[in-house]
mmCIF file with all atom_site columns, all heavy atoms in Angstrom:
data_model
loop_
_atom_site.group_PDB
_atom_site.id
_atom_site.type_symbol
_atom_site.label_atom_id
_atom_site.label_alt_id
_atom_site.label_comp_id
_atom_site.label_asym_id
_atom_site.label_entity_id
_atom_site.label_seq_id
_atom_site.pdbx_PDB_ins_code
_atom_site.Cartn_x
_atom_site.Cartn_y
_atom_site.Cartn_z
_atom_site.occupancy
_atom_site.B_iso_or_equiv
_atom_site.pdbx_formal_charge
_atom_site.auth_seq_id
_atom_site.auth_comp_id
_atom_site.auth_asym_id
_atom_site.auth_atom_id
_atom_site.pdbx_PDB_model_num
ATOM 1   N N   . GLN A 1 291 ? -113.665 76.851 -73.795 1.00 93.00 ? 312 GLN A N   1
ATOM 2   C CA  . GLN A 1 291 ? -114.834 76.160 -74.468 1.00 93.00 ? 312 GLN A CA  1
ATOM 3   C C   . GLN A 1 291 ? -115.611 77.288 -75.179 1.00 93.00 ? 312 GLN A C   1
ATOM 4   O O   . GLN A 1 291 ? -115.433 78.465 -75.009 1.00 93.00 ? 312 GLN A O   1
ATOM 5   C CB  . GLN A 1 291 ? -115.711 75.410 -73.495 1.00 93.00 ? 312 GLN A CB  1
ATOM 6   C CG  . GLN A 1 291 ? -115.042 74.323 -72.726 1.00 93.00 ? 312 GLN A CG  1
ATOM 7   C CD  . GLN A 1 291 ? -114.456 73.157 -73.673 1.00 93.00 ? 312 GLN A CD  1
ATOM 8   O OE1 . GLN A 1 291 ? -115.037 72.812 -74.697 1.00 93.00 ? 312 GLN A OE1 1
ATOM 9   N NE2 . GLN A 1 291 ? -113.257 72.655 -73.240 1.00 93.00 ? 312 GLN A NE2 1
ATOM 10  N N   . GLY A 1 292 ? -116.580 76.730 -76.069 1.00 95.00 ? 313 GLY A N   1
ATOM 11  C CA  . GLY A 1 292 ? -117.521 77.667 -76.726 1.00 95.00 ? 313 GLY A CA  1
ATOM 12  C C   . GLY A 1 292 ? -116.875 78.638 -77.678 1.00 95.00 ? 313 GLY A C   1
ATOM 13  O O   . GLY A 1 292 ? -115.876 78.252 -78.315 1.00 95.00 ? 313 GLY A O   1
ATOM 14  N N   . ILE A 1 293 ? -117.446 79.758 -77.864 1.00 96.00 ? 314 ILE A N   1
ATOM 15  C CA  . ILE A 1 293 ? -116.947 80.745 -78.888 1.00 96.00 ? 314 ILE A CA  1
ATOM 16  C C   . ILE A 1 293 ? -115.492 81.172 -78.500 1.00 96.00 ? 314 ILE A C   1
ATOM 17  O O   . ILE A 1 293 ? -114.715 81.457 -79.418 1.00 96.00 ? 314 ILE A O   1
ATOM 18  C CB  . ILE A 1 293 ? -117.864 82.052 -78.909 1.00 96.00 ? 314 ILE A CB  1
ATOM 19  C CG1 . ILE A 1 293 ? -117.454 82.924 -80.145 1.00 96.00 ? 314 ILE A CG1 1
ATOM 20  C CG2 . ILE A 1 293 ? -117.917 82.738 -77.558 1.00 96.00 ? 314 ILE A CG2 1
ATOM 21  C CD1 . ILE A 1 293 ? -117.513 82.340 -81.454 1.00 96.00 ? 314 ILE A CD1 1
ATOM 22  N N   . ALA A 1 294 ? -115.176 81.174 -77.248 1.00 96.00 ? 315 ALA A N   1
ATOM 23  C CA  . ALA A 1 294 ? -113.788 81.510 -76.842 1.00 96.00 ? 315 ALA A CA  1
ATOM 24  C C   . ALA A 1 294 ? -112.819 80.598 -77.390 1.00 96.00 ? 315 ALA A C   1
ATOM 25  O O   . ALA A 1 294 ? -111.692 80.919 -77.719 1.00 96.00 ? 315 ALA A O   1
ATOM 26  C CB  . ALA A 1 294 ? -113.736 81.579 -75.279 1.00 96.00 ? 315 ALA A CB  1
ATOM 27  N N   . GLN A 1 295 ? -113.217 79.306 -77.520 1.00 97.00 ? 316 GLN A N   1
ATOM 28  C CA  . GLN A 1 295 ? -112.261 78.306 -78.149 1.00 97.00 ? 316 GLN A CA  1
ATOM 29  C C   . GLN A 1 295 ? -112.004 78.731 -79.621 1.00 97.00 ? 316 GLN A C   1
ATOM 30  O O   . GLN A 1 295 ? -110.818 78.533 -80.032 1.00 97.00 ? 316 GLN A O   1
ATOM 31  C CB  . GLN A 1 295 ? -112.968 76.939 -78.076 1.00 97.00 ? 316 GLN A CB  1
ATOM 32  C CG  . GLN A 1 295 ? -112.100 75.789 -78.644 1.00 97.00 ? 316 GLN A CG  1
ATOM 33  C CD  . GLN A 1 295 ? -112.914 74.491 -78.587 1.00 97.00 ? 316 GLN A CD  1
ATOM 34  O OE1 . GLN A 1 295 ? -113.069 73.796 -79.615 1.00 97.00 ? 316 GLN A OE1 1
ATOM 35  N NE2 . GLN A 1 295 ? -113.439 74.074 -77.398 1.00 97.00 ? 316 GLN A NE2 1
ATOM 36  N N   . LYS A 1 296 ? -112.952 79.131 -80.306 1.00 98.00 ? 317 LYS A N   1
ATOM 37  C CA  . LYS A 1 296 ? -112.715 79.609 -81.686 1.00 98.00 ? 317 LYS A CA  1
ATOM 38  C C   . LYS A 1 296 ? -111.723 80.677 -81.719 1.00 98.00 ? 317 LYS A C   1
ATOM 39  O O   . LYS A 1 296 ? -110.853 80.790 -82.577 1.00 98.00 ? 317 LYS A O   1
ATOM 40  C CB  . LYS A 1 296 ? -114.053 79.953 -82.326 1.00 98.00 ? 317 LYS A CB  1
ATOM 41  C CG  . LYS A 1 296 ? -113.886 80.439 -83.820 1.00 98.00 ? 317 LYS A CG  1
ATOM 42  C CD  . LYS A 1 296 ? -115.182 80.940 -84.402 1.00 98.00 ? 317 LYS A CD  1
ATOM 43  C CE  . LYS A 1 296 ? -115.050 81.421 -85.879 1.00 98.00 ? 317 LYS A CE  1
ATOM 44  N NZ  . LYS A 1 296 ? -114.104 82.599 -85.911 1.00 98.00 ? 317 LYS A NZ  1
ATOM 45  N N   . TYR A 1 297 ? -111.914 81.688 -80.834 1.00 98.00 ? 318 TYR A N   1
ATOM 46  C CA  . TYR A 1 297 ? -111.037 82.818 -80.733 1.00 98.00 ? 318 TYR A CA  1
ATOM 47  C C   . TYR A 1 297 ? -109.587 82.368 -80.475 1.00 98.00 ? 318 TYR A C   1
ATOM 48  O O   . TYR A 1 297 ? -108.630 82.915 -80.987 1.00 98.00 ? 318 TYR A O   1
ATOM 49  C CB  . TYR A 1 297 ? -111.527 83.777 -79.589 1.00 98.00 ? 318 TYR A CB  1
ATOM 50  C CG  . TYR A 1 297 ? -112.817 84.516 -79.916 1.00 98.00 ? 318 TYR A CG  1
ATOM 51  C CD1 . TYR A 1 297 ? -113.521 85.017 -78.885 1.00 98.00 ? 318 TYR A CD1 1
ATOM 52  C CD2 . TYR A 1 297 ? -113.316 84.642 -81.211 1.00 98.00 ? 318 TYR A CD2 1
ATOM 53  C CE1 . TYR A 1 297 ? -114.743 85.707 -79.079 1.00 98.00 ? 318 TYR A CE1 1
ATOM 54  C CE2 . TYR A 1 297 ? -114.484 85.262 -81.452 1.00 98.00 ? 318 TYR A CE2 1
ATOM 55  C CZ  . TYR A 1 297 ? -115.202 85.693 -80.405 1.00 98.00 ? 318 TYR A CZ  1
ATOM 56  O OH  . TYR A 1 297 ? -116.387 86.365 -80.665 1.00 98.00 ? 318 TYR A OH  1
ATOM 57  N N   . TRP A 1 298 ? -109.422 81.383 -79.572 1.00 98.00 ? 319 TRP A N   1
ATOM 58  C CA  . TRP A 1 298 ? -108.137 80.833 -79.151 1.00 98.00 ? 319 TRP A CA  1
ATOM 59  C C   . TRP A 1 298 ? -107.416 80.312 -80.423 1.00 98.00 ? 319 TRP A C   1
ATOM 60  O O   . TRP A 1 298 ? -106.261 80.678 -80.648 1.00 98.00 ? 319 TRP A O   1
ATOM 61  C CB  . TRP A 1 298 ? -108.318 79.771 -78.161 1.00 98.00 ? 319 TRP A CB  1
ATOM 62  C CG  . TRP A 1 298 ? -107.068 79.218 -77.586 1.00 98.00 ? 319 TRP A CG  1
ATOM 63  C CD1 . TRP A 1 298 ? -106.340 79.646 -76.518 1.00 98.00 ? 319 TRP A CD1 1
ATOM 64  C CD2 . TRP A 1 298 ? -106.263 78.054 -78.093 1.00 98.00 ? 319 TRP A CD2 1
ATOM 65  N NE1 . TRP A 1 298 ? -105.250 78.854 -76.270 1.00 98.00 ? 319 TRP A NE1 1
ATOM 66  C CE2 . TRP A 1 298 ? -105.088 77.900 -77.185 1.00 98.00 ? 319 TRP A CE2 1
ATOM 67  C CE3 . TRP A 1 298 ? -106.440 77.241 -79.175 1.00 98.00 ? 319 TRP A CE3 1
ATOM 68  C CZ2 . TRP A 1 298 ? -104.166 76.916 -77.393 1.00 98.00 ? 319 TRP A CZ2 1
ATOM 69  C CZ3 . TRP A 1 298 ? -105.497 76.203 -79.374 1.00 98.00 ? 319 TRP A CZ3 1
ATOM 70  C CH2 . TRP A 1 298 ? -104.389 76.071 -78.461 1.00 98.00 ? 319 TRP A CH2 1
ATOM 71  N N   . TYR A 1 299 ? -108.113 79.528 -81.228 1.00 98.00 ? 320 TYR A N   1
ATOM 72  C CA  . TYR A 1 299 ? -107.505 79.040 -82.406 1.00 98.00 ? 320 TYR A CA  1
ATOM 73  C C   . TYR A 1 299 ? -107.184 80.118 -83.464 1.00 98.00 ? 320 TYR A C   1
ATOM 74  O O   . TYR A 1 299 ? -106.099 80.114 -84.059 1.00 98.00 ? 320 TYR A O   1
ATOM 75  C CB  . TYR A 1 299 ? -108.411 77.953 -83.111 1.00 98.00 ? 320 TYR A CB  1
ATOM 76  C CG  . TYR A 1 299 ? -108.255 76.618 -82.402 1.00 98.00 ? 320 TYR A CG  1
ATOM 77  C CD1 . TYR A 1 299 ? -109.284 76.183 -81.535 1.00 98.00 ? 320 TYR A CD1 1
ATOM 78  C CD2 . TYR A 1 299 ? -107.229 75.741 -82.702 1.00 98.00 ? 320 TYR A CD2 1
ATOM 79  C CE1 . TYR A 1 299 ? -109.183 74.900 -80.948 1.00 98.00 ? 320 TYR A CE1 1
ATOM 80  C CE2 . TYR A 1 299 ? -107.255 74.493 -82.116 1.00 98.00 ? 320 TYR A CE2 1
ATOM 81  C CZ  . TYR A 1 299 ? -108.190 74.047 -81.219 1.00 98.00 ? 320 TYR A CZ  1
ATOM 82  O OH  . TYR A 1 299 ? -108.066 72.793 -80.619 1.00 98.00 ? 320 TYR A OH  1
ATOM 83  N N   . ASP A 1 300 ? -108.143 81.013 -83.566 1.00 98.00 ? 321 ASP A N   1
ATOM 84  C CA  . ASP A 1 300 ? -107.907 82.236 -84.523 1.00 98.00 ? 321 ASP A CA  1
ATOM 85  C C   . ASP A 1 300 ? -106.581 83.006 -84.128 1.00 98.00 ? 321 ASP A C   1
ATOM 86  O O   . ASP A 1 300 ? -105.784 83.357 -84.991 1.00 98.00 ? 321 ASP A O   1
ATOM 87  C CB  . ASP A 1 300 ? -109.124 83.133 -84.512 1.00 98.00 ? 321 ASP A CB  1
ATOM 88  C CG  . ASP A 1 300 ? -110.283 82.477 -85.244 1.00 98.00 ? 321 ASP A CG  1
ATOM 89  O OD1 . ASP A 1 300 ? -110.118 81.506 -85.852 1.00 98.00 ? 321 ASP A OD1 1
ATOM 90  O OD2 . ASP A 1 300 ? -111.333 83.110 -85.182 1.00 98.00 ? 321 ASP A OD2 1
ATOM 91  N N   . VAL A 1 301 ? -106.439 83.318 -82.814 1.00 98.00 ? 322 VAL A N   1
ATOM 92  C CA  . VAL A 1 301 ? -105.371 84.076 -82.342 1.00 98.00 ? 322 VAL A CA  1
ATOM 93  C C   . VAL A 1 301 ? -104.053 83.290 -82.632 1.00 98.00 ? 322 VAL A C   1
ATOM 94  O O   . VAL A 1 301 ? -103.057 83.909 -83.129 1.00 98.00 ? 322 VAL A O   1
ATOM 95  C CB  . VAL A 1 301 ? -105.529 84.506 -80.948 1.00 98.00 ? 322 VAL A CB  1
ATOM 96  C CG1 . VAL A 1 301 ? -104.178 85.104 -80.399 1.00 98.00 ? 322 VAL A CG1 1
ATOM 97  C CG2 . VAL A 1 301 ? -106.667 85.414 -80.774 1.00 98.00 ? 322 VAL A CG2 1
ATOM 98  N N   . ASN A 1 302 ? -104.032 82.045 -82.281 1.00 98.00 ? 323 ASN A N   1
ATOM 99  C CA  . ASN A 1 302 ? -102.811 81.319 -82.483 1.00 98.00 ? 323 ASN A CA  1
ATOM 100 C C   . ASN A 1 302 ? -102.466 81.109 -83.914 1.00 98.00 ? 323 ASN A C   1
ATOM 101 O O   . ASN A 1 302 ? -101.270 81.121 -84.307 1.00 98.00 ? 323 ASN A O   1
ATOM 102 C CB  . ASN A 1 302 ? -102.891 79.934 -81.741 1.00 98.00 ? 323 ASN A CB  1
ATOM 103 C CG  . ASN A 1 302 ? -102.554 80.087 -80.277 1.00 98.00 ? 323 ASN A CG  1
ATOM 104 O OD1 . ASN A 1 302 ? -101.904 81.015 -79.844 1.00 98.00 ? 323 ASN A OD1 1
ATOM 105 N ND2 . ASN A 1 302 ? -103.000 79.099 -79.473 1.00 98.00 ? 323 ASN A ND2 1
ATOM 106 N N   . ASP A 1 303 ? -103.448 80.970 -84.798 1.00 98.00 ? 324 ASP A N   1
ATOM 107 C CA  . ASP A 1 303 ? -103.163 80.875 -86.219 1.00 98.00 ? 324 ASP A CA  1
ATOM 108 C C   . ASP A 1 303 ? -102.518 82.202 -86.681 1.00 98.00 ? 324 ASP A C   1
ATOM 109 O O   . ASP A 1 303 ? -101.560 82.192 -87.496 1.00 98.00 ? 324 ASP A O   1
ATOM 110 C CB  . ASP A 1 303 ? -104.455 80.619 -87.019 1.00 98.00 ? 324 ASP A CB  1
ATOM 111 C CG  . ASP A 1 303 ? -104.970 79.234 -86.886 1.00 98.00 ? 324 ASP A CG  1
ATOM 112 O OD1 . ASP A 1 303 ? -104.153 78.333 -86.446 1.00 98.00 ? 324 ASP A OD1 1
ATOM 113 O OD2 . ASP A 1 303 ? -106.130 79.007 -87.238 1.00 98.00 ? 324 ASP A OD2 1
ATOM 114 N N   . ALA A 1 304 ? -103.011 83.318 -86.139 1.00 98.00 ? 325 ALA A N   1
ATOM 115 C CA  . ALA A 1 304 ? -102.420 84.565 -86.517 1.00 98.00 ? 325 ALA A CA  1
ATOM 116 C C   . ALA A 1 304 ? -100.973 84.728 -86.034 1.00 98.00 ? 325 ALA A C   1
ATOM 117 O O   . ALA A 1 304 ? -100.092 85.250 -86.726 1.00 98.00 ? 325 ALA A O   1
ATOM 118 C CB  . ALA A 1 304 ? -103.307 85.720 -86.045 1.00 98.00 ? 325 ALA A CB  1
ATOM 119 N N   . ILE A 1 305 ? -100.752 84.328 -84.842 1.00 98.00 ? 326 ILE A N   1
ATOM 120 C CA  . ILE A 1 305 ? -99.325  84.339 -84.234 1.00 98.00 ? 326 ILE A CA  1
ATOM 121 C C   . ILE A 1 305 ? -98.402  83.553 -85.017 1.00 98.00 ? 326 ILE A C   1
ATOM 122 O O   . ILE A 1 305 ? -97.262  83.931 -85.273 1.00 98.00 ? 326 ILE A O   1
ATOM 123 C CB  . ILE A 1 305 ? -99.380  83.931 -82.743 1.00 98.00 ? 326 ILE A CB  1
ATOM 124 C CG1 . ILE A 1 305 ? -100.100 84.962 -81.907 1.00 98.00 ? 326 ILE A CG1 1
ATOM 125 C CG2 . ILE A 1 305 ? -97.918  83.725 -82.229 1.00 98.00 ? 326 ILE A CG2 1
ATOM 126 C CD1 . ILE A 1 305 ? -100.354 84.536 -80.484 1.00 98.00 ? 326 ILE A CD1 1
ATOM 127 N N   . ARG A 1 306 ? -98.938  82.400 -85.502 1.00 98.00 ? 327 ARG A N   1
ATOM 128 C CA  . ARG A 1 306 ? -98.007  81.542 -86.360 1.00 98.00 ? 327 ARG A CA  1
ATOM 129 C C   . ARG A 1 306 ? -97.862  82.076 -87.783 1.00 98.00 ? 327 ARG A C   1
ATOM 130 O O   . ARG A 1 306 ? -97.086  81.598 -88.542 1.00 98.00 ? 327 ARG A O   1
ATOM 131 C CB  . ARG A 1 306 ? -98.574  80.090 -86.396 1.00 98.00 ? 327 ARG A CB  1
ATOM 132 C CG  . ARG A 1 306 ? -98.598  79.407 -85.013 1.00 98.00 ? 327 ARG A CG  1
ATOM 133 C CD  . ARG A 1 306 ? -99.165  77.991 -85.055 1.00 98.00 ? 327 ARG A CD  1
ATOM 134 N NE  . ARG A 1 306 ? -99.091  77.351 -83.808 1.00 98.00 ? 327 ARG A NE  1
ATOM 135 C CZ  . ARG A 1 306 ? -100.277 76.986 -83.159 1.00 98.00 ? 327 ARG A CZ  1
ATOM 136 N NH1 . ARG A 1 306 ? -101.446 77.213 -83.696 1.00 98.00 ? 327 ARG A NH1 1
ATOM 137 N NH2 . ARG A 1 306 ? -100.176 76.398 -81.992 1.00 98.00 ? 327 ARG A NH2 1
ATOM 138 N N   . GLY A 1 307 ? -98.686  83.108 -88.079 1.00 98.00 ? 328 GLY A N   1
ATOM 139 C CA  . GLY A 1 307 ? -98.683  83.619 -89.413 1.00 98.00 ? 328 GLY A CA  1
ATOM 140 C C   . GLY A 1 307 ? -98.387  85.056 -89.458 1.00 98.00 ? 328 GLY A C   1
ATOM 141 O O   . GLY A 1 307 ? -97.242  85.464 -89.049 1.00 98.00 ? 328 GLY A O   1
ATOM 142 N N   . GLU A 1 308 ? -99.309  85.960 -89.870 1.00 96.00 ? 329 GLU A N   1
ATOM 143 C CA  . GLU A 1 308 ? -99.048  87.332 -90.129 1.00 96.00 ? 329 GLU A CA  1
ATOM 144 C C   . GLU A 1 308 ? -98.707  88.129 -88.916 1.00 96.00 ? 329 GLU A C   1
ATOM 145 O O   . GLU A 1 308 ? -97.822  88.982 -88.889 1.00 96.00 ? 329 GLU A O   1
ATOM 146 C CB  . GLU A 1 308 ? -100.290 88.016 -90.888 1.00 96.00 ? 329 GLU A CB  1
ATOM 147 C CG  . GLU A 1 308 ? -101.506 88.266 -90.054 1.00 96.00 ? 329 GLU A CG  1
ATOM 148 C CD  . GLU A 1 308 ? -102.391 87.082 -89.934 1.00 96.00 ? 329 GLU A CD  1
ATOM 149 O OE1 . GLU A 1 308 ? -102.057 85.961 -90.396 1.00 96.00 ? 329 GLU A OE1 1
ATOM 150 O OE2 . GLU A 1 308 ? -103.560 87.270 -89.399 1.00 96.00 ? 329 GLU A OE2 1
ATOM 151 N N   . LEU A 1 309 ? -99.318  87.803 -87.697 1.00 97.00 ? 330 LEU A N   1
ATOM 152 C CA  . LEU A 1 309 ? -99.006  88.559 -86.522 1.00 97.00 ? 330 LEU A CA  1
ATOM 153 C C   . LEU A 1 309 ? -97.595  88.258 -86.053 1.00 97.00 ? 330 LEU A C   1
ATOM 154 O O   . LEU A 1 309 ? -96.901  89.113 -85.581 1.00 97.00 ? 330 LEU A O   1
ATOM 155 C CB  . LEU A 1 309 ? -100.060 88.161 -85.421 1.00 97.00 ? 330 LEU A CB  1
ATOM 156 C CG  . LEU A 1 309 ? -99.932  88.948 -84.155 1.00 97.00 ? 330 LEU A CG  1
ATOM 157 C CD1 . LEU A 1 309 ? -100.063 90.483 -84.371 1.00 97.00 ? 330 LEU A CD1 1
ATOM 158 C CD2 . LEU A 1 309 ? -101.099 88.548 -83.227 1.00 97.00 ? 330 LEU A CD2 1
ATOM 159 N N   . GLY A 1 310 ? -97.188  86.983 -86.214 1.00 96.00 ? 331 GLY A N   1
ATOM 160 C CA  . GLY A 1 310 ? -95.870  86.583 -85.832 1.00 96.00 ? 331 GLY A CA  1
ATOM 161 C C   . GLY A 1 310 ? -94.813  87.331 -86.553 1.00 96.00 ? 331 GLY A C   1
ATOM 162 O O   . GLY A 1 310 ? -93.655  87.450 -86.148 1.00 96.00 ? 331 GLY A O   1
ATOM 163 N N   . MET A 1 311 ? -95.151  87.673 -87.843 1.00 97.00 ? 332 MET A N   1
ATOM 164 C CA  . MET A 1 311 ? -94.148  88.444 -88.654 1.00 97.00 ? 332 MET A CA  1
ATOM 165 C C   . MET A 1 311 ? -93.833  89.816 -88.129 1.00 97.00 ? 332 MET A C   1
ATOM 166 O O   . MET A 1 311 ? -92.874  90.436 -88.467 1.00 97.00 ? 332 MET A O   1
ATOM 167 C CB  . MET A 1 311 ? -94.728  88.500 -90.046 1.00 97.00 ? 332 MET A CB  1
ATOM 168 C CG  . MET A 1 311 ? -94.808  87.145 -90.760 1.00 97.00 ? 332 MET A CG  1
ATOM 169 S SD  . MET A 1 311 ? -95.539  87.239 -92.436 1.00 97.00 ? 332 MET A SD  1
ATOM 170 C CE  . MET A 1 311 ? -94.206  88.193 -93.275 1.00 97.00 ? 332 MET A CE  1
ATOM 171 N N   . GLU A 1 312 ? -94.713  90.329 -87.222 1.00 97.00 ? 333 GLU A N   1
ATOM 172 C CA  . GLU A 1 312 ? -94.464  91.635 -86.531 1.00 97.00 ? 333 GLU A CA  1
ATOM 173 C C   . GLU A 1 312 ? -93.340  91.447 -85.549 1.00 97.00 ? 333 GLU A C   1
ATOM 174 O O   . GLU A 1 312 ? -92.690  92.426 -85.232 1.00 97.00 ? 333 GLU A O   1
ATOM 175 C CB  . GLU A 1 312 ? -95.814  92.126 -85.809 1.00 97.00 ? 333 GLU A CB  1
ATOM 176 C CG  . GLU A 1 312 ? -96.944  92.351 -86.738 1.00 97.00 ? 333 GLU A CG  1
ATOM 177 C CD  . GLU A 1 312 ? -97.042  93.838 -87.112 1.00 97.00 ? 333 GLU A CD  1
ATOM 178 O OE1 . GLU A 1 312 ? -96.325  94.736 -86.519 1.00 97.00 ? 333 GLU A OE1 1
ATOM 179 O OE2 . GLU A 1 312 ? -97.930  94.226 -87.992 1.00 97.00 ? 333 GLU A OE2 1
ATOM 180 N N   . ALA A 1 313 ? -93.220  90.301 -84.977 1.00 98.00 ? 334 ALA A N   1
ATOM 181 C CA  . ALA A 1 313 ? -92.135  90.065 -84.005 1.00 98.00 ? 334 ALA A CA  1
ATOM 182 C C   . ALA A 1 313 ? -90.879  89.631 -84.591 1.00 98.00 ? 334 ALA A C   1
ATOM 183 O O   . ALA A 1 313 ? -90.814  89.406 -85.827 1.00 98.00 ? 334 ALA A O   1
ATOM 184 C CB  . ALA A 1 313 ? -92.642  89.086 -82.987 1.00 98.00 ? 334 ALA A CB  1
ATOM 185 N N   . ASP A 1 314 ? -89.815  89.548 -83.856 1.00 98.00 ? 335 ASP A N   1
ATOM 186 C CA  . ASP A 1 314 ? -88.511  89.051 -84.331 1.00 98.00 ? 335 ASP A CA  1
ATOM 187 C C   . ASP A 1 314 ? -88.491  87.543 -84.357 1.00 98.00 ? 335 ASP A C   1
ATOM 188 O O   . ASP A 1 314 ? -87.950  86.945 -85.312 1.00 98.00 ? 335 ASP A O   1
ATOM 189 C CB  . ASP A 1 314 ? -87.440  89.533 -83.387 1.00 98.00 ? 335 ASP A CB  1
ATOM 190 C CG  . ASP A 1 314 ? -87.260  91.100 -83.423 1.00 98.00 ? 335 ASP A CG  1
ATOM 191 O OD1 . ASP A 1 314 ? -86.672  91.526 -84.386 1.00 98.00 ? 335 ASP A OD1 1
ATOM 192 O OD2 . ASP A 1 314 ? -87.723  91.698 -82.478 1.00 98.00 ? 335 ASP A OD2 1
#
Side-chain angles (χ1 to χ4, degrees):
Q312 302 297 324
I314 187 63
Q316 184 184 122
K317 178 183 182 301
Y318 294 158
W319 185 90
Y320 281 100
D321 285 352
V322 172
N323 276 342
D324 285 345
I326 291 173
R327 296 180 182 114
E329 73 276 7
L330 185 56
M332 295 176 67
E333 297 261 355
D335 295 281

